[in-house]
Short mmCIF file of all heavy atoms in Angstrom, two decimals:
data_model
loop_
_atom_site.label_atom_id
_atom_site.label_comp_id
_atom_site.label_asym_id
_atom_site.label_seq_id
_atom_site.Cartn_x
_atom_site.Cartn_y
_atom_site.Cartn_z
N MET M 1 64.73 -114.07 -205.19
CA MET M 1 64.13 -113.97 -203.86
C MET M 1 62.88 -114.84 -203.78
O MET M 1 62.20 -114.89 -204.68
CB MET M 1 63.78 -112.47 -203.58
CG MET M 1 63.06 -112.31 -202.23
SD MET M 1 62.41 -110.59 -201.81
CE MET M 1 63.26 -109.53 -202.91
N VAL M 2 62.79 -115.55 -202.67
CA VAL M 2 61.61 -116.46 -202.55
C VAL M 2 60.46 -115.52 -202.26
O VAL M 2 60.51 -114.50 -201.52
CB VAL M 2 61.89 -117.43 -201.27
CG1 VAL M 2 60.62 -118.17 -200.93
CG2 VAL M 2 63.01 -118.22 -201.49
N ALA M 3 59.34 -115.91 -202.97
CA ALA M 3 58.06 -115.11 -202.78
C ALA M 3 57.49 -115.37 -201.40
O ALA M 3 57.40 -116.67 -200.98
CB ALA M 3 57.20 -115.53 -203.82
N LEU M 4 57.28 -114.39 -200.57
CA LEU M 4 56.58 -114.58 -199.34
C LEU M 4 55.05 -114.70 -199.44
O LEU M 4 54.51 -114.19 -200.29
CB LEU M 4 57.01 -113.44 -198.46
CG LEU M 4 58.45 -113.25 -198.03
CD1 LEU M 4 58.53 -111.88 -197.26
CD2 LEU M 4 58.89 -114.38 -197.25
N ASN M 5 54.46 -115.41 -198.54
CA ASN M 5 53.00 -115.41 -198.34
C ASN M 5 52.58 -115.21 -196.97
O ASN M 5 53.38 -114.77 -196.09
CB ASN M 5 52.54 -116.82 -198.95
CG ASN M 5 53.09 -118.00 -198.16
OD1 ASN M 5 53.10 -118.05 -196.96
ND2 ASN M 5 53.45 -118.99 -198.92
N GLU M 6 51.38 -115.44 -196.60
CA GLU M 6 50.87 -115.17 -195.32
C GLU M 6 51.38 -115.99 -194.21
O GLU M 6 51.14 -115.74 -192.97
CB GLU M 6 49.36 -115.00 -195.42
CG GLU M 6 48.79 -116.41 -195.69
CD GLU M 6 47.29 -116.22 -196.01
OE1 GLU M 6 46.96 -115.16 -196.66
OE2 GLU M 6 46.54 -117.30 -195.76
N ARG M 7 51.95 -117.15 -194.54
CA ARG M 7 52.54 -118.10 -193.47
C ARG M 7 53.90 -117.71 -193.31
O ARG M 7 54.73 -117.24 -194.08
CB ARG M 7 52.41 -119.50 -194.08
CG ARG M 7 50.92 -120.01 -194.41
CD ARG M 7 50.93 -121.30 -195.01
NE ARG M 7 50.97 -122.29 -194.00
CZ ARG M 7 51.10 -123.40 -194.26
NH1 ARG M 7 51.23 -124.02 -195.50
NH2 ARG M 7 51.15 -124.46 -193.26
N TRP M 8 54.45 -117.86 -191.99
CA TRP M 8 55.73 -117.64 -191.62
C TRP M 8 56.69 -118.63 -192.31
O TRP M 8 56.40 -119.81 -192.34
CB TRP M 8 55.88 -117.82 -190.13
CG TRP M 8 55.33 -116.62 -189.34
CD1 TRP M 8 54.14 -116.77 -188.57
CD2 TRP M 8 55.77 -115.24 -189.20
NE1 TRP M 8 53.87 -115.49 -188.04
CE2 TRP M 8 54.81 -114.51 -188.37
CE3 TRP M 8 56.86 -114.55 -189.64
CZ2 TRP M 8 54.92 -113.28 -188.07
CZ3 TRP M 8 56.99 -113.31 -189.38
CH2 TRP M 8 56.06 -112.57 -188.59
N GLN M 9 57.76 -118.08 -192.93
CA GLN M 9 58.81 -118.76 -193.54
C GLN M 9 60.15 -118.54 -193.04
O GLN M 9 60.53 -117.36 -192.81
CB GLN M 9 58.77 -118.46 -195.08
CG GLN M 9 57.49 -118.66 -195.74
CD GLN M 9 57.51 -118.17 -197.18
OE1 GLN M 9 56.77 -117.25 -197.48
NE2 GLN M 9 58.27 -118.82 -197.99
N LYS M 10 60.82 -119.59 -192.67
CA LYS M 10 62.25 -119.47 -192.12
C LYS M 10 63.21 -119.11 -193.21
O LYS M 10 63.04 -119.53 -194.44
CB LYS M 10 62.74 -120.76 -191.45
CG LYS M 10 61.98 -120.87 -190.16
CD LYS M 10 62.67 -122.03 -189.37
CE LYS M 10 62.01 -122.12 -188.13
NZ LYS M 10 62.48 -123.38 -187.25
N ALA M 11 64.24 -118.35 -192.98
CA ALA M 11 65.22 -117.85 -193.79
C ALA M 11 65.91 -119.29 -194.33
O ALA M 11 66.07 -120.24 -193.54
CB ALA M 11 66.26 -117.11 -193.23
N THR M 12 66.16 -119.28 -195.61
CA THR M 12 66.77 -120.47 -196.22
C THR M 12 68.22 -120.81 -195.77
O THR M 12 68.62 -121.93 -195.67
CB THR M 12 66.92 -120.44 -197.80
OG1 THR M 12 67.65 -119.22 -198.08
CG2 THR M 12 65.46 -120.29 -198.48
N ARG M 13 68.87 -119.85 -195.18
CA ARG M 13 70.23 -120.11 -194.61
C ARG M 13 70.14 -120.26 -193.09
O ARG M 13 71.34 -120.35 -192.51
CB ARG M 13 71.11 -118.82 -194.91
CG ARG M 13 71.40 -118.73 -196.49
CD ARG M 13 72.47 -117.82 -196.73
NE ARG M 13 72.68 -117.86 -198.12
CZ ARG M 13 73.75 -117.49 -198.70
NH1 ARG M 13 74.74 -117.15 -197.93
NH2 ARG M 13 73.97 -117.50 -200.06
N SER M 14 68.99 -120.51 -192.49
CA SER M 14 68.98 -120.77 -191.14
C SER M 14 69.54 -122.08 -190.78
O SER M 14 69.45 -123.08 -191.56
CB SER M 14 67.51 -120.74 -190.58
OG SER M 14 66.85 -119.44 -190.75
N GLY M 15 70.36 -122.13 -189.69
CA GLY M 15 70.90 -123.34 -189.30
C GLY M 15 70.07 -124.17 -188.46
O GLY M 15 68.93 -123.94 -188.19
N SER M 16 70.61 -125.26 -187.84
CA SER M 16 69.89 -126.09 -186.98
C SER M 16 70.00 -125.76 -185.46
O SER M 16 69.49 -126.41 -184.61
CB SER M 16 70.39 -127.56 -187.08
OG SER M 16 71.79 -127.65 -186.80
N ASN M 17 70.54 -124.49 -185.20
CA ASN M 17 70.69 -124.16 -183.77
C ASN M 17 69.52 -123.38 -183.26
O ASN M 17 69.54 -122.96 -182.14
CB ASN M 17 72.01 -123.16 -183.73
CG ASN M 17 71.95 -121.99 -184.46
OD1 ASN M 17 70.84 -121.61 -185.12
ND2 ASN M 17 72.91 -121.16 -184.54
N GLY M 18 68.44 -123.30 -184.02
CA GLY M 18 67.32 -122.64 -183.46
C GLY M 18 67.24 -121.19 -183.56
O GLY M 18 66.19 -120.56 -183.17
N GLN M 19 68.28 -120.49 -184.01
CA GLN M 19 68.34 -119.05 -184.16
C GLN M 19 68.07 -118.62 -185.59
O GLN M 19 68.89 -118.53 -186.39
CB GLN M 19 69.67 -118.55 -183.71
CG GLN M 19 69.91 -118.78 -182.24
CD GLN M 19 71.24 -118.24 -181.72
OE1 GLN M 19 71.77 -117.35 -182.35
NE2 GLN M 19 71.71 -118.69 -180.68
N CYS M 20 66.78 -118.61 -185.88
CA CYS M 20 66.22 -118.26 -187.28
C CYS M 20 65.48 -117.06 -187.30
O CYS M 20 64.90 -116.52 -186.36
CB CYS M 20 65.46 -119.45 -187.58
SG CYS M 20 66.22 -121.11 -187.57
N VAL M 21 65.45 -116.52 -188.57
CA VAL M 21 64.63 -115.38 -188.89
C VAL M 21 63.58 -115.90 -189.65
O VAL M 21 63.65 -116.68 -190.62
CB VAL M 21 65.42 -114.26 -189.73
CG1 VAL M 21 64.57 -113.33 -190.20
CG2 VAL M 21 66.61 -113.75 -188.78
N GLU M 22 62.24 -115.46 -189.43
CA GLU M 22 61.07 -115.81 -190.28
C GLU M 22 60.44 -114.46 -190.78
O GLU M 22 60.54 -113.45 -190.20
CB GLU M 22 60.11 -116.48 -189.25
CG GLU M 22 60.57 -117.77 -188.77
CD GLU M 22 59.47 -118.46 -187.95
OE1 GLU M 22 58.91 -117.71 -187.03
OE2 GLU M 22 59.25 -119.68 -188.03
N ALA M 23 59.90 -114.69 -191.90
CA ALA M 23 59.24 -113.60 -192.58
C ALA M 23 57.86 -113.95 -193.23
O ALA M 23 57.69 -115.16 -193.59
CB ALA M 23 60.15 -112.97 -193.60
N ARG M 24 57.02 -113.07 -193.34
CA ARG M 24 55.70 -113.38 -194.09
C ARG M 24 55.29 -112.12 -194.76
O ARG M 24 55.66 -110.88 -194.29
CB ARG M 24 54.67 -113.91 -193.15
CG ARG M 24 54.16 -112.95 -192.09
CD ARG M 24 53.05 -113.63 -191.39
NE ARG M 24 52.59 -112.77 -190.32
CZ ARG M 24 51.70 -112.97 -189.48
NH1 ARG M 24 51.15 -114.17 -189.47
NH2 ARG M 24 51.26 -112.08 -188.52
N PHE M 25 54.38 -112.26 -195.76
CA PHE M 25 53.77 -111.06 -196.44
C PHE M 25 52.34 -111.02 -196.06
O PHE M 25 51.65 -112.06 -196.37
CB PHE M 25 54.04 -111.26 -197.93
CG PHE M 25 53.63 -109.96 -198.72
CD1 PHE M 25 54.23 -108.73 -198.58
CD2 PHE M 25 52.61 -110.13 -199.70
CE1 PHE M 25 53.87 -107.67 -199.32
CE2 PHE M 25 52.16 -109.03 -200.38
CZ PHE M 25 52.82 -107.77 -200.28
N LEU M 26 51.84 -110.00 -195.44
CA LEU M 26 50.54 -110.02 -194.97
C LEU M 26 49.92 -108.60 -195.14
O LEU M 26 50.48 -107.60 -194.73
CB LEU M 26 50.45 -110.48 -193.48
CG LEU M 26 49.19 -110.57 -192.83
CD1 LEU M 26 48.33 -111.77 -193.53
CD2 LEU M 26 49.30 -110.76 -191.38
N ASP M 27 48.84 -108.38 -195.81
CA ASP M 27 48.17 -107.25 -195.94
C ASP M 27 49.12 -106.08 -196.55
O ASP M 27 49.05 -104.97 -196.16
CB ASP M 27 47.57 -106.73 -194.79
CG ASP M 27 46.47 -107.58 -194.29
OD1 ASP M 27 45.78 -108.26 -195.04
OD2 ASP M 27 46.33 -107.73 -192.98
N GLY M 28 49.99 -106.57 -197.53
CA GLY M 28 50.79 -105.58 -198.27
C GLY M 28 52.05 -105.12 -197.39
O GLY M 28 52.89 -104.23 -197.83
N ILE M 29 52.30 -105.82 -196.24
CA ILE M 29 53.42 -105.53 -195.43
C ILE M 29 54.30 -106.79 -195.21
O ILE M 29 53.70 -107.92 -195.03
CB ILE M 29 53.04 -104.93 -194.07
CG1 ILE M 29 52.16 -103.69 -194.16
CG2 ILE M 29 53.99 -104.83 -192.99
CD1 ILE M 29 52.96 -102.58 -194.72
N VAL M 30 55.55 -106.72 -195.19
CA VAL M 30 56.50 -107.80 -194.86
C VAL M 30 56.78 -107.75 -193.30
O VAL M 30 57.20 -106.61 -192.91
CB VAL M 30 57.84 -107.76 -195.70
CG1 VAL M 30 58.75 -108.88 -195.21
CG2 VAL M 30 57.46 -107.88 -197.19
N GLU M 31 56.59 -108.82 -192.63
CA GLU M 31 56.80 -108.88 -191.20
C GLU M 31 57.93 -109.82 -190.97
O GLU M 31 57.98 -110.91 -191.65
CB GLU M 31 55.56 -109.38 -190.52
CG GLU M 31 54.43 -108.34 -190.58
CD GLU M 31 53.19 -108.72 -189.75
OE1 GLU M 31 52.87 -109.95 -189.67
OE2 GLU M 31 52.39 -107.88 -189.23
N VAL M 32 58.83 -109.48 -190.03
CA VAL M 32 59.99 -110.28 -189.85
C VAL M 32 60.07 -110.45 -188.24
O VAL M 32 59.83 -109.55 -187.49
CB VAL M 32 61.25 -109.62 -190.24
CG1 VAL M 32 62.53 -110.40 -189.91
CG2 VAL M 32 61.20 -109.26 -191.81
N ARG M 33 60.46 -111.71 -187.93
CA ARG M 33 60.51 -112.02 -186.44
C ARG M 33 61.58 -113.02 -186.02
O ARG M 33 62.12 -113.72 -187.01
CB ARG M 33 59.20 -112.50 -185.88
CG ARG M 33 58.78 -113.88 -186.43
CD ARG M 33 57.43 -114.45 -185.81
NE ARG M 33 57.18 -115.80 -186.17
CZ ARG M 33 56.12 -116.44 -185.86
NH1 ARG M 33 55.22 -115.83 -185.15
NH2 ARG M 33 55.97 -117.60 -186.30
N ASN M 34 61.98 -113.25 -184.89
CA ASN M 34 62.88 -114.15 -184.40
C ASN M 34 62.16 -115.47 -184.11
O ASN M 34 61.22 -115.48 -183.25
CB ASN M 34 63.57 -113.72 -183.16
CG ASN M 34 64.48 -114.68 -182.53
OD1 ASN M 34 64.52 -115.81 -182.82
ND2 ASN M 34 65.31 -114.25 -181.59
N SER M 35 62.42 -116.56 -184.87
CA SER M 35 61.63 -117.72 -184.72
C SER M 35 61.79 -118.40 -183.23
O SER M 35 60.93 -119.09 -182.76
CB SER M 35 62.01 -118.82 -185.78
OG SER M 35 63.40 -119.20 -185.52
N LYS M 36 62.96 -118.03 -182.60
CA LYS M 36 63.25 -118.59 -181.26
C LYS M 36 62.33 -117.90 -180.17
O LYS M 36 62.07 -118.43 -179.19
CB LYS M 36 64.70 -118.46 -180.91
CG LYS M 36 65.08 -119.23 -179.81
CD LYS M 36 66.69 -119.26 -179.66
CE LYS M 36 67.09 -120.09 -178.42
NZ LYS M 36 68.55 -120.18 -178.36
N SER M 37 61.96 -116.67 -180.46
CA SER M 37 61.18 -115.89 -179.56
C SER M 37 60.04 -115.07 -180.36
O SER M 37 60.08 -113.95 -180.44
CB SER M 37 62.08 -114.88 -178.74
OG SER M 37 61.32 -114.25 -177.84
N PRO M 38 59.07 -115.85 -180.97
CA PRO M 38 58.20 -115.21 -181.82
C PRO M 38 57.28 -114.16 -181.20
O PRO M 38 56.69 -113.31 -181.94
CB PRO M 38 57.33 -116.45 -182.38
CG PRO M 38 57.56 -117.46 -181.39
CD PRO M 38 58.92 -117.25 -180.90
N ASP M 39 57.06 -114.27 -179.90
CA ASP M 39 56.17 -113.30 -179.27
C ASP M 39 56.88 -112.09 -178.77
O ASP M 39 56.19 -111.22 -178.08
CB ASP M 39 55.47 -114.01 -178.13
CG ASP M 39 54.41 -115.08 -178.53
OD1 ASP M 39 53.91 -114.90 -179.72
OD2 ASP M 39 54.37 -116.12 -177.85
N SER M 40 58.11 -111.90 -179.08
CA SER M 40 58.89 -110.82 -178.48
C SER M 40 58.89 -109.57 -179.45
O SER M 40 59.49 -108.65 -179.13
CB SER M 40 60.35 -111.19 -178.31
OG SER M 40 61.00 -111.53 -179.56
N GLY M 41 58.09 -109.69 -180.47
CA GLY M 41 57.90 -108.58 -181.35
C GLY M 41 58.31 -108.86 -182.78
O GLY M 41 58.94 -109.80 -183.03
N LEU M 42 58.20 -107.96 -183.64
CA LEU M 42 58.53 -108.07 -185.07
C LEU M 42 58.82 -106.69 -185.63
O LEU M 42 58.54 -105.70 -185.08
CB LEU M 42 57.35 -108.86 -185.79
CG LEU M 42 55.93 -108.34 -185.74
CD1 LEU M 42 55.65 -107.18 -186.69
CD2 LEU M 42 55.10 -109.52 -185.94
N VAL M 43 59.38 -106.76 -186.85
CA VAL M 43 59.71 -105.60 -187.57
C VAL M 43 58.90 -105.64 -188.81
O VAL M 43 58.71 -106.67 -189.52
CB VAL M 43 61.12 -105.61 -187.95
CG1 VAL M 43 61.58 -104.33 -188.87
CG2 VAL M 43 62.09 -105.63 -186.68
N ARG M 44 58.29 -104.53 -189.32
CA ARG M 44 57.40 -104.46 -190.43
C ARG M 44 58.17 -103.60 -191.47
O ARG M 44 58.69 -102.46 -191.22
CB ARG M 44 56.14 -103.86 -190.05
CG ARG M 44 55.31 -104.72 -189.25
CD ARG M 44 53.97 -104.23 -189.03
NE ARG M 44 53.08 -105.22 -188.35
CZ ARG M 44 52.66 -105.10 -187.11
NH1 ARG M 44 53.07 -104.15 -186.40
NH2 ARG M 44 51.92 -106.12 -186.56
N PHE M 45 57.97 -104.00 -192.75
CA PHE M 45 58.54 -103.28 -193.83
C PHE M 45 57.51 -103.25 -194.91
O PHE M 45 56.69 -104.03 -195.08
CB PHE M 45 59.71 -104.05 -194.55
CG PHE M 45 60.96 -104.29 -193.78
CD1 PHE M 45 60.93 -105.42 -192.96
CD2 PHE M 45 61.96 -103.48 -193.79
CE1 PHE M 45 62.22 -105.66 -192.13
CE2 PHE M 45 63.07 -103.67 -193.04
CZ PHE M 45 63.23 -104.78 -192.29
N THR M 46 57.47 -101.97 -195.65
CA THR M 46 56.59 -102.05 -196.85
C THR M 46 57.24 -102.73 -197.94
O THR M 46 58.55 -103.18 -197.72
CB THR M 46 56.50 -100.57 -197.40
OG1 THR M 46 57.79 -100.04 -197.81
CG2 THR M 46 55.84 -99.56 -196.37
N ARG M 47 56.68 -103.24 -199.01
CA ARG M 47 57.28 -104.00 -199.98
C ARG M 47 58.52 -103.29 -200.59
O ARG M 47 59.63 -103.94 -200.68
CB ARG M 47 56.30 -104.29 -201.07
CG ARG M 47 56.77 -105.31 -202.11
CD ARG M 47 56.95 -106.64 -201.53
NE ARG M 47 57.33 -107.66 -202.46
CZ ARG M 47 56.74 -108.82 -202.77
NH1 ARG M 47 55.61 -108.94 -202.10
NH2 ARG M 47 57.12 -109.60 -203.59
N PRO M 48 58.41 -102.00 -200.92
CA PRO M 48 59.73 -101.32 -201.40
C PRO M 48 60.84 -101.28 -200.40
O PRO M 48 62.02 -101.50 -200.68
CB PRO M 48 59.30 -99.96 -201.81
CG PRO M 48 57.76 -100.08 -201.95
CD PRO M 48 57.36 -101.04 -201.10
N GLU M 49 60.53 -101.15 -199.11
CA GLU M 49 61.46 -101.12 -198.08
C GLU M 49 62.15 -102.43 -197.91
O GLU M 49 63.40 -102.55 -197.80
CB GLU M 49 60.93 -100.76 -196.69
CG GLU M 49 60.49 -99.32 -196.51
CD GLU M 49 59.75 -99.04 -195.30
OE1 GLU M 49 58.99 -99.88 -194.74
OE2 GLU M 49 59.68 -97.87 -194.92
N TRP M 50 61.42 -103.50 -197.91
CA TRP M 50 61.89 -104.88 -197.86
C TRP M 50 62.80 -105.12 -199.07
O TRP M 50 63.89 -105.72 -198.86
CB TRP M 50 60.74 -105.88 -197.88
CG TRP M 50 61.10 -107.33 -197.85
CD1 TRP M 50 60.99 -108.25 -198.91
CD2 TRP M 50 61.73 -108.04 -196.74
NE1 TRP M 50 61.49 -109.45 -198.42
CE2 TRP M 50 62.02 -109.24 -197.17
CE3 TRP M 50 62.12 -107.54 -195.51
CZ2 TRP M 50 62.59 -110.40 -196.35
CZ3 TRP M 50 62.71 -108.64 -194.68
CH2 TRP M 50 62.89 -109.83 -195.10
N GLU M 51 62.36 -104.82 -200.29
CA GLU M 51 63.22 -105.00 -201.44
C GLU M 51 64.63 -104.26 -201.28
O GLU M 51 65.59 -104.81 -201.57
CB GLU M 51 62.60 -104.65 -202.77
CG GLU M 51 61.45 -105.65 -203.01
CD GLU M 51 60.48 -105.28 -204.21
OE1 GLU M 51 60.62 -104.15 -204.66
OE2 GLU M 51 59.52 -106.15 -204.39
N THR M 52 64.56 -103.08 -200.82
CA THR M 52 65.77 -102.32 -200.55
C THR M 52 66.70 -102.97 -199.55
O THR M 52 67.93 -103.08 -199.71
CB THR M 52 65.43 -100.76 -200.18
OG1 THR M 52 64.70 -100.24 -201.34
CG2 THR M 52 66.63 -100.06 -199.81
N PHE M 53 66.00 -103.42 -198.45
CA PHE M 53 66.92 -104.10 -197.37
C PHE M 53 67.45 -105.37 -197.92
O PHE M 53 68.70 -105.65 -197.76
CB PHE M 53 65.84 -104.49 -196.21
CG PHE M 53 66.46 -105.32 -195.17
CD1 PHE M 53 67.46 -104.85 -194.27
CD2 PHE M 53 66.22 -106.67 -195.22
CE1 PHE M 53 67.97 -105.76 -193.46
CE2 PHE M 53 66.74 -107.53 -194.30
CZ PHE M 53 67.58 -107.04 -193.36
N ILE M 54 66.73 -106.20 -198.66
CA ILE M 54 67.30 -107.45 -199.26
C ILE M 54 68.39 -107.18 -200.22
O ILE M 54 69.52 -107.75 -200.20
CB ILE M 54 66.23 -108.27 -200.01
CG1 ILE M 54 65.23 -108.82 -198.89
CG2 ILE M 54 66.77 -109.45 -200.81
CD1 ILE M 54 65.87 -109.72 -197.92
N ASP M 55 68.22 -106.01 -201.07
CA ASP M 55 69.36 -105.60 -201.87
C ASP M 55 70.63 -105.21 -201.07
O ASP M 55 71.75 -105.53 -201.54
CB ASP M 55 68.98 -104.53 -202.93
CG ASP M 55 67.88 -104.97 -203.97
OD1 ASP M 55 67.83 -106.07 -204.18
OD2 ASP M 55 67.28 -104.10 -204.49
N ALA M 56 70.33 -104.59 -200.01
CA ALA M 56 71.55 -104.09 -199.27
C ALA M 56 72.31 -105.24 -198.50
O ALA M 56 73.49 -105.04 -198.36
CB ALA M 56 71.06 -103.11 -198.20
N VAL M 57 71.64 -106.35 -198.29
CA VAL M 57 72.35 -107.33 -197.46
C VAL M 57 72.71 -108.61 -198.39
O VAL M 57 73.34 -109.48 -197.81
CB VAL M 57 71.42 -107.90 -196.30
CG1 VAL M 57 71.25 -106.77 -195.28
CG2 VAL M 57 70.10 -108.42 -196.75
N THR M 58 72.42 -108.59 -199.61
CA THR M 58 72.99 -109.63 -200.49
C THR M 58 74.46 -109.38 -200.64
O THR M 58 75.05 -108.46 -200.33
CB THR M 58 72.20 -109.55 -201.79
OG1 THR M 58 72.37 -108.30 -202.41
CG2 THR M 58 70.73 -109.88 -201.62
N GLU M 59 74.99 -110.48 -201.34
CA GLU M 59 76.38 -110.51 -201.49
C GLU M 59 77.07 -109.24 -202.08
O GLU M 59 78.13 -108.85 -201.80
CB GLU M 59 76.80 -111.69 -202.38
CG GLU M 59 78.31 -112.00 -202.45
CD GLU M 59 78.60 -113.30 -203.28
OE1 GLU M 59 77.83 -114.16 -203.15
OE2 GLU M 59 79.64 -113.20 -204.01
N ASP M 60 76.44 -108.56 -203.04
CA ASP M 60 76.96 -107.55 -203.68
C ASP M 60 76.49 -106.19 -203.19
O ASP M 60 76.70 -105.09 -203.64
CB ASP M 60 76.69 -107.52 -205.24
CG ASP M 60 77.38 -108.69 -205.82
OD1 ASP M 60 78.44 -109.06 -205.47
OD2 ASP M 60 76.72 -109.26 -206.79
N GLY M 61 75.56 -106.30 -202.08
CA GLY M 61 75.01 -105.15 -201.55
C GLY M 61 75.82 -104.25 -200.65
O GLY M 61 77.04 -104.56 -200.29
N GLU M 62 75.23 -103.26 -200.10
CA GLU M 62 75.77 -102.21 -199.27
C GLU M 62 76.45 -102.71 -198.04
O GLU M 62 77.52 -102.25 -197.51
CB GLU M 62 74.74 -101.19 -198.90
CG GLU M 62 75.18 -100.11 -198.03
CD GLU M 62 74.04 -99.07 -197.86
OE1 GLU M 62 72.87 -99.32 -198.47
OE2 GLU M 62 74.16 -98.29 -197.03
N PHE M 63 75.79 -103.72 -197.38
CA PHE M 63 76.24 -104.40 -196.15
C PHE M 63 77.10 -105.58 -196.23
O PHE M 63 77.18 -106.34 -195.33
CB PHE M 63 75.07 -104.54 -195.22
CG PHE M 63 74.30 -103.35 -195.02
CD1 PHE M 63 73.06 -103.15 -195.44
CD2 PHE M 63 74.89 -102.19 -194.22
CE1 PHE M 63 72.32 -101.98 -195.20
CE2 PHE M 63 74.19 -101.01 -194.05
CZ PHE M 63 72.96 -100.92 -194.37
N ARG M 64 77.73 -105.79 -197.31
CA ARG M 64 78.63 -106.97 -197.58
C ARG M 64 79.67 -106.99 -196.51
O ARG M 64 80.34 -105.97 -196.25
CB ARG M 64 79.20 -106.82 -198.94
CG ARG M 64 79.95 -108.11 -199.35
CD ARG M 64 80.37 -107.96 -200.74
NE ARG M 64 81.20 -109.14 -201.16
CZ ARG M 64 82.17 -109.14 -202.06
NH1 ARG M 64 82.33 -108.16 -202.83
NH2 ARG M 64 82.80 -110.25 -202.33
N LEU M 65 79.93 -108.23 -195.92
CA LEU M 65 80.81 -108.19 -194.84
C LEU M 65 82.36 -108.30 -195.27
O LEU M 65 83.18 -108.01 -194.44
CB LEU M 65 80.53 -109.50 -193.97
CG LEU M 65 79.27 -109.49 -193.27
CD1 LEU M 65 78.92 -110.77 -192.61
CD2 LEU M 65 79.10 -108.29 -192.33
N SER M 66 82.65 -108.60 -196.40
CA SER M 66 84.00 -108.60 -196.75
C SER M 66 84.23 -107.73 -198.00
O SER M 66 83.54 -107.16 -198.57
CB SER M 66 84.52 -110.07 -197.23
OG SER M 66 83.70 -110.71 -198.11
#
């Protein structure tokens, strides 16, 4: 997993269509937003919640699509 910092970072799998997810680590919280509409709100995770979420959506995780 890429280490997050206080600057917004786009997901490495984001395409060129402008529909990207950005995340940052700020004051002990991971924040996630839509880069196409950054002022429309964000979702906040604690560090353990973020790690659980990432584990669940990875290839071998709970939310695997196939």
Side-chain angles (χ1 to χ4, degrees):
M1 179 184 343
V2 174
L4 293 175
N5 60 45
E6 61 196 31
R7 300 174 81 188
W8 288 105
Q9 297 171 252
K10 286 188 180 179
T12 57
R13 293 192 179 207
S14 293
S16 59
N17 62 5
Q19 297 184 16
C20 305
V21 173
E22 295 178 315
R24 70 179 177 181
F25 187 64
L26 184 66
D27 297 328
I29 299 293
V30 177
E31 297 181 329
V32 181
R33 70 180 183 183
N34 177 348
S35 66
K36 193 171 184 176
S37 183
D39 295 326
S40 65
L42 49 87
V43 178
R44 290 187 173 106
F45 297 89
T46 64
R47 186 67 178 237
E49 288 170 337
W50 178 250
E51 290 172 0
T52 298
F53 171 75
I54 293 300
D55 287 344
V57 296
T58 58
E59 185 174 326
D60 296 327
E62 174 180 358
F63 300 113
R64 187 173 176 204
L65 294 177
S66 57

